Amino acid sequence: MRDLGSKVATAVRWFAIIKFISQAISWVITFYILTILSKADYGLFAMTTVVIAFLSLVSEIGLSAVLLQKKDLSIYHKKQIFGVIILVGFALTTIVSSTAPFVATFYQDERLTSLIITLGLQFLLTPFYIIPRATLERELDFKRRSIIELITSAAASFTTLICASYGYGVWALIYGHLATICCRLIGYNLVNPFKHLPTFNFKGVKSMLSFGGYTMGSRWLWFFSSNADILIAGKLLDIETIGLFKFAKQISSIPAQKISPIINQVAFPAFAKIQDSKELVAAHYLKAIGLLGLISFPILWGLASIGNFIPNYLGEHWQGAITTLQILCFALPFRMINGLTPSITSALGHPEKDFINQIWLFVGMSSLYFTGCYFGGLFGLALSWALGFPIIIARNLYATLPLIGLSLSDVLKKIAIPLILASVMLLVVFAIQALLNDLDKHLLFAISIISGIGSYSILTLIFNKEMAKTLIRFVKK
């Protein structure tokens, strides 16, 4: 187990380092692109990606999870999986091309037809890097995987930037997304090629398809839960308001999108390797929850505390999104913590448990999104986030944690201290902003960041010393 612990630590460190570099590049370029593109561009892209992202979940019908969890995985199994996902890729491309006009009619915007068809070309490419990528993850080789993702992120960001600078509008975002797919295809096949032809003899794949089916079903439901806000808002709100919400969601989600994969994507294959020892899984799960809480609450609540400064740097036209951004920031730490739950259920061979959890999340959040949009517009939609996620996630954790001998109270104890300390940090930053309100806005922005980091760091070293030591030891290594 010591060897596994070393592999996990190495995987997380490489993932973290590369994610940090990738995040820095992406943030700088994204912030600049936001000053070029319009709210309507982001609104169109949001509606386009909702359709494509859903179908992306079908592109490997959950079989990537099988590649990570199944102990006795043979080359023949991989060839069968390869054959299945190639057929699915061709089918999805056909579906996208034939249904794009109907989606455009539904949203009453003909521009969506060509956008969706172009973005749908990715389904012809993704089957050819799924197995090479999954093999790296199964072996916890996140060094090479992370380097590929760094190059991919940089290439996609610069593609979007160049196209946006030349006036391509929403197409800049489309081409940037396709650049991501192409770079992954090339990178994974150069580093870790799967040198076998697919087989279309699917005898004996029933158990794999069952596992993959539950996994795919969970991903579908998670997708709908994650994008139901845009889908519902698309019918109840105007396109500029959707653009404001998309902006708030994109900015507030950047920390979660960069931090969560560092733990979540390593957790599944790591838990799968120790799936026969629930005690070990529980111990590592609680440590991961502690680290997530230590990091996520101060970053996201800190972002909320400086939200009012964002229009100064990205343009006053985003002022209407700031309150929404701040509300989303308060809810996102709980959503990040929930991200580890599927790793437990899948690693232990119980994907049906996560499927049930996702039904609760989808039904609950969709109902709240509709109610919020209908009665409260943009503010109501944001408020549904803040109220819904903590409650439904608590229910799902209560139902799932007994699988590894834990209870909801064990998780609450782990996140209680960072939550309280982040709340104090928030009060400190707001108090400083109120006292120094007449100060130059750029200087006050810098002071707010420094005071937030300083206050939370000091409080953590005093009241959450053990978890701070764990993080410090990890960073030093």
Side-chain angles (χ1 to χ4, degrees):
M1 289 307 158
R2 179 177 296 178
D3 182 57
L4 175 62
S6 177
K7 283 186 176 181
V8 170
T10 300
V12 173
R13 281 196 294 272
W14 269 102
F15 213 150
I17 292 169
I18 297 299
K19 275 289 179 182
F20 177 80
I21 298 172
S22 175
Q23 178 178 306
I25 296 171
S26 178
W27 280 17
V28 171
I29 295 177
T30 297
F31 288 155
Y32 182 72
I33 291 171
L34 285 168
T35 65
I36 301 174
L37 300 181
S38 68
K39 290 177 282 187
D41 289 331
Y42 274 90
L44 275 172
F45 186 66
M47 289 185 283
T48 303
T49 52
V50 161
V51 176
I52 296 299
F54 168 68
L55 293 177
S56 296
L57 302 177
V58 189
S59 63
E60 40 87 15
I61 57 174
L63 292 176
S64 61
V66 175
L67 291 167
L68 296 177
Q69 197 271 341
K70 190 175 176 64
K71 284 186 173 182
D72 54 344
L73 191 69
S74 66
I75 293 295
Y76 188 72
H77 288 141
K78 292 181 181 180
K79 291 170 67 176
Q80 287 180 311
I81 291 174
F82 194 13
V84 171
I85 58 180
I86 285 176
L87 292 178
V88 172
F90 277 102
L92 290 178
T93 304
T94 303
I95 291 171
V96 168
S97 299
S98 60
T99 60
F102 298 101
V103 176
T105 301
F106 176 79
Y107 283 113
Q108 299 179 347
D109 195 322
E110 289 303 317
R111 291 174 294 178
L112 287 172
T113 300
S114 57
L115 292 172
I116 292 172
I117 291 175
T118 303
L119 209 55
L121 295 175
Q122 70 180 61
F123 296 120
L124 295 175
L125 304 176
T126 52
F128 296 94
Y129 69 76
I130 287 175
I131 293 177
R133 182 176 64 180
T135 304
L136 291 178
E137 292 177 357
R138 182 183 175 94
E139 299 304 319
L140 296 176
D141 187 355
F142 280 85
K143 176 180 178 179
R144 291 192 292 174
R145 183 194 184 285
S146 298
I147 292 173
I148 292 169
E149 292 297 328
L150 171 62
I151 296 171
T152 295
S153 177
S157 295
F158 280 109
T159 298
T160 306
L161 174 61
I162 292 170
C163 291
S165 299
Y166 278 92
Y168 280 75
V170 65
W171 283 99
L173 300 171
I174 299 294
Y175 294 145
H177 184 85
L178 288 177
T180 298
I181 303 299
C182 292
C183 288
R184 284 176 178 164
L185 173 64
I186 296 170
Y188 284 113
N189 281 283
L190 284 176
V191 170
N192 187 42
F194 181 64
K195 300 178 180 179
H196 301 277
L197 294 174
T199 180
F200 299 98
N201 180 358
F202 302 128
K203 183 178 180 180
V205 301
K206 183 178 179 180
S207 62
M208 292 192 295
L209 290 176
S210 176
F211 190 103
Y214 275 117
T215 302
M216 181 177 65
S218 297
R219 290 174 181 173
W220 277 352
L221 291 167
W222 171 248
F223 164 80
F224 278 120
S225 299
S226 301
N227 293 283
D229 45 15
I230 297 294
L231 285 168
I232 293 170
K235 293 300 293 182
L236 298 178
L237 306 177
D238 63 86
I239 193 167
E240 289 204 354
T241 301
I242 298 171
L244 289 174
F245 181 78
K246 177 65 176 179
F247 169 83
K249 187 176 179 180
Q250 180 174 351
I251 297 299
S252 62
S253 297
I254 287 176
Q257 291 170 350
K258 305 305 178 183
I259 295 172
S260 292
I262 295 174
I263 296 179
N264 295 348
Q265 292 189 29
V266 177
F268 179 19
F271 288 157
K273 285 184 177 293
I274 56 172
Q275 59 186 277
D276 296 327
S277 176
K278 294 183 180 180
E279 293 79 10
L280 273 175
V281 174
H284 287 297
Y285 170 77
L286 286 178
K287 182 179 289 187
I289 288 294
L291 288 172
L292 267 177
L294 181 69
I295 297 170
S296 63
F297 282 107
I299 291 179
L300 285 159
W301 290 11
L303 177 59
S305 72
I306 59 172
N308 289 329
F309 294 95
I310 290 177
N312 297 332
Y313 301 96
L314 300 183
E316 290 297 327
H317 56 292
W318 297 116
Q319 182 65 49
I322 300 308
T323 300
T324 300
L325 181 148
Q326 292 172 321
I327 294 173
L328 299 188
C329 284
F330 284 112
L332 274 165
F334 301 101
R335 192 180 183 191
M336 290 174 64
I337 289 169
N338 181 63
L340 274 174
T341 308
S343 297
I344 295 174
T345 55
S346 296
L348 296 182
H350 294 285
E352 74 281 356
K353 293 282 187 181
D354 187 51
F355 183 72
I356 294 172
N357 288 342
Q358 297 304 332
I359 291 176
W360 277 90
L361 192 64
F362 168 62
V363 173
M365 292 309 300
S366 296
S367 301
L368 287 170
Y369 291 149
F370 180 84
T371 303
C373 275
Y374 189 82
F375 291 103
L378 180 60
F379 178 77
L381 178 59
L383 197 60
S384 65
W385 263 67
L387 296 176
F389 272 112
I391 295 173
I392 298 174
I393 286 169
R395 180 268 156 202
N396 288 348
L397 288 173
Y398 178 82
T400 303
L401 291 174
L403 282 175
I404 53 175
L406 296 177
S407 64
L408 179 60
S409 63
D410 294 318
V411 172
L412 293 177
K413 290 174 184 176
K414 274 291 181 182
I415 67 172
I417 294 178
L419 186 153
I420 293 171
L421 299 185
S423 299
V424 175
M425 175 203 72
L426 204 61
L427 293 174
V428 169
V429 174
F430 283 146
I432 289 175
Q433 290 174 357
L435 290 171
L436 303 179
N437 188 46
D438 295 331
L439 209 61
D440 175 76
K441 59 185 180 182
H442 302 296
L443 181 58
L444 183 57
F445 176 61
I447 292 174
S448 297
I449 294 175
I450 294 170
S451 62
I453 294 173
S455 60
Y456 184 80
S457 299
I458 293 170
L459 289 168
T460 298
L461 291 174
I462 296 173
F463 297 105
N464 200 11
K465 186 180 298 184
E466 288 305 313
M467 190 54 64
K469 286 181 178 179
T470 299
L471 181 61
I472 291 171
R473 284 196 299 268
F474 183 80
V475 172
K476 283 183 177 180
K477 290 181 181 180

